Amino acid sequence: MTVKKRVAILISGRGSNMSALIEAARAPDYPAEIVGVFSNRSDAPGLAIAAAAGIPTAFRSHKDFPDRESFDAAIQAILDEWRADLVCLAGYMRIFSTGFAERWTGRMLNIHPSLLPRHKGLKPQLQALDAGDAESGCTVHWVIPDLDDGPAILQRRVPILPGDTAETLAARILAEEHIAYPQALAMVCRGEVAL
Ligand code: GRF
């Protein structure tokens, strides 16, 4: 029997990538189990979805902490409680302290809706349209202390079509994200890729 990796997911919003990971992890032969979902926003719709799926959830606001380090220490305490081996960021919209990011380097993944290294940061779908790109996609990558950087684990591509808006392109990419993230996490858990 394969020992499943214990994976925590960090979100700030909708949680559709989180849902894709939860769904994938239901398969008996999937190499990860989702042990908890943390949000830095109490109103993140993903929190209720996770709770309804029977997954432990936690919320903390950075406003209740004096600085980034102490907020991240609170997240670390939650991850310790869940005995997380790996962390998946799924629409988590807060920057980490360097110490936290370094501590999880090689054990923390993120998904970004562009073909990194193109279009880091906010509104990457709009950036792709503004650049006149013929294609876009998503990237699952290792998280290193620099934002949206770190080696790619897996990418999936989509065409950019005439008449696309940021919304239509985002929807096309999102469908690929929901395939890419579970696949990339499985590769990491099986030791097929490492940082
Ligand atoms: C996704 O597009 C993801 O790539 C980006 O933020 C969005 C989160 O969407 N980092 P969801 O919360 O997973 O639905």
Side-chain angles (χ1 to χ4, degrees):
M1 203 188 80
T2 17
V3 179
K4 291 177 181 251
K5 295 281 185 200
R6 298 177 62 84
V7 174
I9 304 175
L10 271 53
I11 63 167
S12 298
R14 185 174 54 181
S16 71
N17 278 290
M18 172 208 77
S19 294
L21 292 172
I22 291 173
E23 192 51 45
R26 282 192 216 278
D29 61 344
Y30 193 76
E33 67 174 304
I34 309 304
V35 295
V37 172
F38 170 84
S39 174
N40 65 323
R41 295 188 55 113
S42 60
D43 58 354
L47 269 185
I49 297 169
I55 303 213
T57 61
F59 151 75
R60 300 282 186 280
S61 168
H62 70 274
K63 294 180 189 142
D64 297 328
F65 297 86
D67 52 30
R68 212 177 276 288
E69 283 71 22
S70 54
F71 180 61
D72 287 353
I75 300 176
Q76 182 63 50
I78 291 165
L79 297 176
D80 286 344
E81 192 183 313
W82 289 339
R83 292 182 289 117
D85 300 313
L86 294 166
V87 169
C88 284
L89 307 181
Y92 185 69
M93 297 300 285
R94 221 183 134 68
I95 291 170
F96 294 117
S97 57
T98 308
F100 183 89
E102 282 176 354
R103 181 168 184 169
W104 283 92
T105 297
R107 298 184 296 143
M108 182 154 67
L109 287 65
N110 183 40
I111 188 158
H112 185 76
S114 80
L115 295 174
L116 291 175
R118 286 183 75 72
H119 312 314
K120 299 176 185 181
L122 296 175
K123 302 192 176 169
Q125 302 93 343
L126 192 58
Q127 292 184 46
L129 291 175
D130 288 347
D133 293 354
E135 64 171 4
S136 183
C138 62
T139 306
V140 182
H141 65 95
W142 295 106
V143 176
I144 60 169
D146 286 325
L147 188 66
D148 293 339
D149 228 329
I153 298 166
L154 189 76
Q155 292 188 313
R156 287 182 70 89
R157 314 177 96 83
V158 301
I160 294 181
L161 302 177
D164 260 343
T165 62
E167 289 70 33
T168 59
L169 179 57
R172 192 175 308 123
I173 295 171
L174 193 65
E176 300 304 317
E177 294 184 39
H178 297 161
I179 300 168
Y181 215 167
Q183 204 179 326
L185 177 60
M187 287 162 62
V188 169
C189 291
R190 294 192 179 111
E192 294 164 10
V193 281
L195 185 63

